[in-house]
Amino acid sequence: MTLRRLPALLAFFALIGASTAHAYLDVPVREAGARTLLTRFGYGADQASLRDTLGLSPRQYLRRAIRETPGYPPAIQAHIAALPASTPLPELWARYGPGGTEKFVPAPQQNASNDGKAMRNPREIAGREILDSTMETRLLQSVNSDNPGHEILLNFWLNHFSINGLKTVTKYVAADYARSLQMAMREDSFLALLRASFLHPAMQIYLDNDRSTAPNSAQGKRASQNGKSRGLNENLARELLELHTLGVDGGYSQADVQALARIITGAGVIINGMRPDPASVSGSVRIGYFFFDPRRHDDEHKRLLGTDYPAGKGFAEIEKALAQLAAHPATARHISRKLALRFYGDEPPAEVLRVMSEAFLRSGGRISETLFAMVNSRSFADTLKGPDKFKEPMDYVLSAVRAVCNGQPIANGKILMRTLREFNHLPFMRTTPDGYGALEKDWLSSPEMARRIRLAQTLAAAHLPLAADVPPKSGEGRCRPEVASIRQLVGPLSASTTQALQGLKPADEMAALLASPEFMHR
Amino acid sequence: MTHHLTSCTRRQLLQQGLALGAGLLPGSRLLAAPQRPPGRMILIFLRGGFDGLFAFAPTADHRLASLRPTLARQALENGIPLTGTGFSAHPAARELAELFAARELSFAPTTGTPDTSRSHFQAQDLFELGNGKPHGESGLLARAQQALIGRAGPPALIAFTGNQPLILQGSDSPIEIAPLSGSGLKMRQDKALDAIRAMHGQHKSGSAIEQALSTQAEIDAQQGMDAKAARGAAGLNGFPGMAKTAAGMLSANPRLSLAFIELGGFDTHAGEENALARALPLLGQGLLALREGLGRREWQRTQVLVCTEFGRTVRENGTQGTDHGHGSLALLAGGAIAGGRLLGGFDGLSDAALNEKRDLPVRVDWRSLIGQVLMDTQGFDWRTTQAVLPGIPGRQKD
């Protein structure tokens, strides 16, 4: 009797368990759960990170991801510190910022048919080195961090507030942009992230706002007297609404885009050797190398999304607009959806999005609360069972490299760069401001599968010098994967995968495991 | 009489066939298209919002000089007249003007979608979905291929891209993607690969792997003949070289009657003169490379359509560029098209003629252009064309 009723009882408790608040969120994870967390909210497991994560609850893991400074192995730290991207911003700005000492030398007039190979000048060469080492830094940090959740979330925000390093001065300041978003992330507030992005020269320059001038401003009038045309540029205003905050369905109009473009006129960057001295310009605001110049600002009345912006408030209008956008219900929906598409799955249920948006609004835009609501939703645990979220290329490449190096510090950023370039997924290289996509349909294609298989075959067989300093001395720093460890890191396999692996030699088995459907999902 | 009866019956059959399918077009293979399409469509999509008024400028309109004080200067002073249209080509668009003069190119200066968001991404989605909405299950080329071949391969559609754009997504039939740069689709043939193919067998990723293997075989066959051109990088700089390889692959594989190429670098908010003066020759050289690579006979049966997601503001902005607009330039090229013409008319640049006094109106629905090319080159009848491009404006005939 008792025995016969046991299954029903168990089912009953399972149901209770599933509906109890904070069921999954606060349960300390074991090995399988740790592997899952590191895969969904990180760049995959290795033995060390598995050990570090055991016993944490998802809530603790995510809180640490948002708030705690990551650490890196000393050799990696030293390697990064020596890269050109680690040059302090004041030094870079004085040399390469507008009006800097390293002048722009226009390339000689070229015939477009010579494959676009420009004559390189020192400024361009330095720019390329700085940009490359900025990408290298981000990749080395992402792959070697003792706080993988921090890295994947930072990369999420860098992709949300996407910039392109190839745009003029952006390349010299992209590393500082990443540091600024990283500091803002620790405040656990969407407004802090939005401000950090907007108030950085990288975003001002990338979306042309540093050049936007109100025709009715002092500089606009002077320009027209001199027969020059200076005017509004809507680029940043539009992307602020469409991509950074409300989202394309957020209910704003072309009039709102124009109002916001007018509100943010005057925002721009410090120009080296500015006369008069920027500090002496009344009503100006300087934050790092961001500069608000009231002489380019439209001081008349505006109306944004039904809110009045009385004339003559200057920079305060910008702060007011950023706060208004950050707190807008459409922003809560848009950011929740974006987080869910990255960390839940390609088709998050409406109910999950609803509880996330509510948590976002209730908490005043806390990212932690928004993610907790997602993780704590009833269906979240189901998404981990498959798992059925197709890894983005960077997820895939870094997790494969971590699995084969298994705890050896991965110092060879050059290989990572080359690989991610081939996968079209380098940080700071998305050309359009919408950032890279997060969905299977954005990435799953025949070339993508060929690249992944090629990488898996190479990693399993070639023993790449991933752990070596660059350039590697022969035989040094090679990552030699072991089949038992790869099996453990890939985790449970389906019957068809197990069957396909029958009778393979270890190197072939490792290649096949790294290219298995299980390892391509997270 | 007999003819009329036959066509009626055929239409009814089509209706029944189409009524079976909710989204895509199951069954239409048997009914709609002939075995071997009469021609080939190559669709070139310029991402970023191409400023058509820069390339082909309405120099006969006296307002042009004041609306575009710097951006129209070259066209006004050194432009190449496009005879009989009131437009002149920017000197950097010399190759395009030559095709026009040879009657192998026509242009529609006010082509576009109903997009009002002026967002790149929404407008590109609208364009690629081809159903008049910003959301949908499948891209227009995916539907066109499915109308041609049904659910089973071999593919008639090839994309020379690094990844799979929306315009190809959502088809039940396999899509062929041929990246013409980097290591492409190469994989080492070994036991691990056999195991990987077996594991992915029933997943979507499995058919992607099989497709990669067969496309690589085609690329190998072509590049054996043309090793140098393959090294061109994707993107506008490499376009002329890539176009040559693509043309070779298309000639060598007659089943490929639909091709897609995408090019970036047209979002010219600032410094537009420099950017487009570099881009336009590459575009023109790429079209000439397609013509040359296809050879005289294939060029006669090919129609190349060049489109973008939206045009840009008619007035230049404060940074010698232009902002997001509405209608834009589309180009139609081919050996047997009725070239040397302006398609869809042009109302000039007066405020009254503009959309919201800011950009060009859309007078030519992008589906009409694509639909006409599909009918000419794929042998689609009107009903199939309507099913591939829902909401396509009606025609007077039929």
Side-chain angles (χ1 to χ4, degrees):
Chain A
M1 177 75 174
T2 324
L3 275 177
R4 266 176 56 204
R5 289 184 58 184
L6 192 58
L9 266 175
L10 284 177
F12 175 70
F13 283 121
L15 207 64
I16 293 285
S19 63
T20 308
H22 310 300
Y24 174 72
L25 188 58
D26 290 311
V27 176
V29 295
R30 302 184 190 204
E31 183 185 303
R35 187 169 48 230
T36 305
L37 269 184
L38 287 164
T39 309
R40 183 64 69 89
F41 296 104
Y43 291 105
D46 58 15
Q47 305 296 347
S49 59
L50 275 180
R51 274 195 307 277
D52 287 350
T53 308
L54 274 180
L56 291 179
S57 70
R59 185 197 299 274
Q60 289 167 323
Y61 179 91
L62 289 173
R63 187 167 281 155
R64 177 168 178 249
I66 291 168
R67 293 208 176 253
E68 287 181 26
T69 313
Y72 310 101
I76 301 294
Q77 193 88 292
H79 177 88
I80 289 173
L83 292 174
S86 298
T87 313
L89 184 59
E91 192 179 320
L92 288 173
W93 196 265
R95 294 179 73 174
Y96 306 110
T101 52
E102 201 69 66
K103 297 283 181 238
F104 176 74
V105 184
Q109 198 63 36
Q110 292 174 51
N111 184 342
S113 67
N114 74 355
D115 290 337
K117 273 180 206 129
M119 289 269 286
R120 291 296 195 85
N121 59 50
R123 182 187 165 89
E124 247 184 282
I125 293 167
R128 193 68 223 190
E129 281 173 0
I130 290 167
L131 177 59
D132 278 357
S133 67
T134 301
M135 298 184 231
E136 188 180 346
T137 299
R138 195 79 286 278
L139 292 174
L140 288 173
Q141 291 178 336
S142 298
V143 80
N144 287 298
S145 180
D146 68 359
N147 187 352
H150 183 87
E151 309 298 340
I152 204 168
L153 277 171
L154 176 56
N155 291 335
F156 173 85
W157 293 115
L158 284 169
N159 190 55
H160 179 75
F161 298 106
S162 187
I163 56 168
N164 184 295
L166 296 178
K167 173 99 177 224
T168 60
V169 179
T170 307
K171 56 182 76 66
Y172 307 100
V173 298
D176 189 77
Y177 184 67
R179 289 191 288 269
S180 300
L181 285 195
Q182 182 168 32
M183 280 194 291
M185 198 171 100
R186 286 182 213 138
E187 290 179 41
D188 193 9
S189 138
F190 178 71
L191 178 58
L193 287 158
L194 179 64
R195 288 184 76 250
S197 158
F198 182 90
L199 299 174
H200 198 279
M203 184 56 80
Q204 291 294 326
I205 292 168
Y206 173 48
L207 291 179
D208 304 316
N209 200 59
D210 60 323
R211 309 174 65 173
S212 181
T213 301
N216 60 4
S217 66
Q219 287 199 0
K221 284 179 191 155
R222 190 181 322 145
S224 76
Q225 281 161 10
N226 298 341
K228 289 183 191 157
S229 74
R230 300 287 300 271
L232 272 189
N233 186 306
E234 291 174 9
N235 207 10
L236 179 55
R238 179 179 304 283
E239 306 309 7
L240 265 173
L241 288 165
E242 176 187 330
L243 300 175
H244 299 167
T245 61
L246 273 64
V248 71
D249 300 322
Y252 58 89
S253 65
Q254 174 65 27
D256 291 316
V257 174
Q258 277 164 340
L260 185 56
R262 291 171 56 210
I263 288 171
I264 64 176
T265 43
V269 302
I270 289 282
I271 295 170
N272 287 295
M274 253 169 129
R275 288 288 171 270
D277 186 88
S280 71
V281 179
S282 137
S284 70
V285 175
R286 176 175 179 166
I287 302 170
Y289 289 86
F290 170 91
F291 184 60
F292 172 77
D293 190 337
R295 296 168 302 174
R296 289 194 292 114
H297 182 68
D298 182 334
D299 242 346
E300 290 173 21
H301 170 269
K302 301 131 195 142
R303 192 171 170 83
L304 173 65
L305 298 162
T307 299
D308 282 306
Y309 283 70
K313 301 285 188 208
F315 182 71
E317 286 177 20
I318 293 179
E319 291 283 18
K320 176 175 165 177
L322 293 179
Q324 184 190 357
L325 296 179
H328 197 284
T331 301
R333 285 194 295 274
H334 180 218
I335 299 303
S336 298
R337 182 173 167 75
K338 195 118 186 238
L339 282 165
L341 291 178
R342 178 78 176 110
F343 297 111
Y344 181 105
D346 288 8
E347 289 168 357
E351 173 61 15
V352 173
L353 298 178
R354 190 182 62 77
V355 296
M356 290 176 74
S357 303
E358 283 173 8
F360 183 99
L361 286 175
R362 196 173 53 237
S363 65
R366 286 200 181 282
I367 306 310
S368 60
E369 293 299 328
T370 312
L371 285 174
F372 294 162
M374 178 187 87
V375 170
N376 216 31
S377 66
R378 238 173 249 199
S379 53
F380 181 76
D382 293 340
T383 72
L384 300 175
K385 284 175 190 156
D388 63 354
K389 179 82 183 136
F390 192 65
K391 286 181 181 175
E392 293 177 21
M394 184 163 152
D395 300 339
Y396 179 74
V397 170
L398 297 190
S399 62
V401 166
R402 281 169 63 82
V404 300
C405 290
N406 202 17
Q408 288 186 76
I410 298 157
N412 195 332
K414 297 286 180 288
I415 297 186
L416 297 181
M417 291 269 292
R418 210 162 52 227
T419 309
L420 267 303
R421 177 159 303 170
E422 204 195 331
F423 277 79
N424 305 312
H425 203 195
L426 275 173
F428 310 110
M429 289 298 276
R430 174 77 175 178
T431 50
T432 49
D434 56 342
Y436 295 106
L439 307 187
E440 179 180 289
K441 72 177 174 64
D442 298 319
W443 297 110
L444 175 55
S445 67
S446 51
E448 176 69 15
M449 291 304 292
R451 284 190 287 267
R452 290 188 184 198
I453 292 170
R454 207 156 55 227
L455 178 68
Q457 290 174 324
T458 306
L459 287 175
H463 302 165
L464 296 181
L466 285 157
D469 257 337
V470 182
K473 300 176 191 96
S474 67
E476 206 179 72
R478 296 190 174 271
C479 286
R480 293 190 170 78
E482 286 166 15
V483 71
S485 169
I486 298 287
R487 279 187 202 136
Q488 188 198 2
L489 296 175
V490 174
L493 302 174
S494 72
S496 59
T497 298
T498 309
Q499 193 190 347
L501 293 171
Q502 293 297 317
L504 290 184
K505 287 183 300 194
D508 285 337
E509 181 180 345
M510 287 191 290
L513 278 168
L514 292 173
S516 65
E518 287 82 352
F519 198 69
M520 287 199 193
H521 290 78
R522 61 188 188 88
Chain B
M1 191 68 169
T2 318
H3 177 78
H4 181 247
L5 190 69
T6 316
S7 72
C8 260
T9 315
R10 184 174 147 80
R11 187 171 302 159
Q12 284 159 1
L13 275 171
L14 272 168
Q15 280 167 347
Q16 288 159 11
L18 291 170
L20 292 173
L24 290 162
L25 305 168
S28 56
R29 167 162 68 145
L30 299 171
L31 303 163
Q35 285 295 58
R36 169 87 195 271
R40 170 183 298 118
M41 171 166 95
I42 302 175
L43 178 57
I44 301 178
F45 191 36
L46 309 181
R47 291 190 192 272
F50 172 43
D51 184 20
L53 287 175
F54 180 90
F56 286 3
T59 41
D61 192 310
H62 67 275
R63 301 170 193 90
L64 181 65
S66 59
L67 289 165
R68 299 186 153 222
T70 59
L71 295 180
R73 193 175 297 150
Q74 282 292 324
L76 284 164
E77 291 172 7
N78 304 313
I80 308 163
L82 300 167
T83 310
T85 64
F87 281 66
S88 299
H90 188 284
R94 182 173 52 83
E95 289 85 354
L96 301 177
E98 285 170 7
L99 279 168
F100 181 88
R103 303 200 166 275
E104 296 191 354
L105 182 140
S106 286
F107 68 100
T110 56
T111 304
T113 71
D115 170 70
T116 54
S117 72
R118 296 196 179 92
S119 143
H120 290 298
F121 322 108
Q122 182 146 321
Q124 290 181 9
D125 285 0
L126 250 165
F127 183 98
E128 294 178 63
L129 289 164
N131 60 359
K133 299 178 195 144
H135 307 286
E137 293 300 308
S138 58
L140 72 92
L141 284 180
R143 292 194 297 276
Q145 146 152 298
Q146 194 139 339
L148 265 182
I149 65 164
R151 284 176 192 280
L157 165 60
I158 187 162
F160 299 100
T161 56
N163 284 298
Q164 178 170 321
L166 180 60
I167 199 166
L168 307 186
Q169 288 173 17
S171 172
D172 290 334
S173 52
I175 300 291
E176 183 156 7
I177 298 178
L180 294 180
S181 60
S183 300
L185 300 160
K186 294 188 184 75
M187 290 171 272
R188 199 169 60 237
Q189 312 270 345
D190 60 8
K191 283 191 174 156
L193 181 60
D194 293 341
I196 294 163
R197 290 168 74 179
M199 293 171 184
H200 286 271
Q202 68 252 52
H203 300 265
K204 240 187 227 163
S205 49
S207 41
I209 296 172
E210 298 311 309
Q211 185 61 59
L213 288 164
S214 75
T215 305
Q216 185 58 46
E218 285 163 16
I219 296 176
D220 287 345
Q222 184 56 37
Q223 291 186 339
M225 293 178 258
D226 190 17
K228 264 190 195 161
R231 279 200 258 140
L236 204 51
N237 276 334
F239 179 50
M242 173 206 156
K244 193 164 174 230
T245 304
M249 284 177 72
L250 292 173
S251 303
N253 295 281
R255 69 180 164 79
L256 297 172
S257 66
L258 292 163
F260 180 71
I261 294 171
E262 59 184 5
L263 301 169
F266 292 92
D267 194 13
T268 48
H269 287 279
E272 178 168 329
E273 180 76 39
N274 281 339
L276 289 187
R278 283 183 61 82
L280 287 173
L282 294 165
L283 180 63
Q285 288 158 18
L287 290 184
L288 294 185
L290 281 176
R291 178 171 74 165
E292 189 186 330
L294 286 166
R296 198 65 211 160
R297 183 184 296 177
E298 285 292 314
W299 180 243
Q300 289 291 327
R301 52 190 296 281
T302 298
Q303 296 193 11
V304 183
L305 191 53
V306 183
C307 295
T308 188
E309 73 263 30
F310 50 54
R312 309 187 71 87
T313 47
V314 169
R315 285 178 188 79
E316 67 183 59
N317 65 17
T319 52
Q320 284 76 56
T322 47
D323 293 318
H324 301 179
H326 197 43
S328 184
L329 179 68
L331 304 172
L332 176 65
I337 66 149
R341 293 187 305 156
L342 182 155
L343 307 172
F346 186 72
D347 291 333
L349 300 173
S350 68
D351 272 359
L354 299 185
N355 171 54
E356 298 177 8
K357 298 185 183 175
R358 151 190 178 111
D359 37 40
L360 293 180
V362 170
R363 289 187 48 158
V364 178
D365 188 285
W366 85 116
R367 288 167 297 195
S368 299
L369 273 183
I370 294 173
Q372 189 58 52
V373 175
L374 285 174
M375 293 172 77
D376 290 351
T377 61
Q378 312 301 307
F380 286 175
D381 60 20
W382 177 240
R383 189 154 292 276
T384 305
T385 306
Q386 279 182 313
V388 170
L389 299 162
I392 182 173
R395 309 181 308 158
Q396 309 208 307
K397 292 181 198 169
D398 201 283

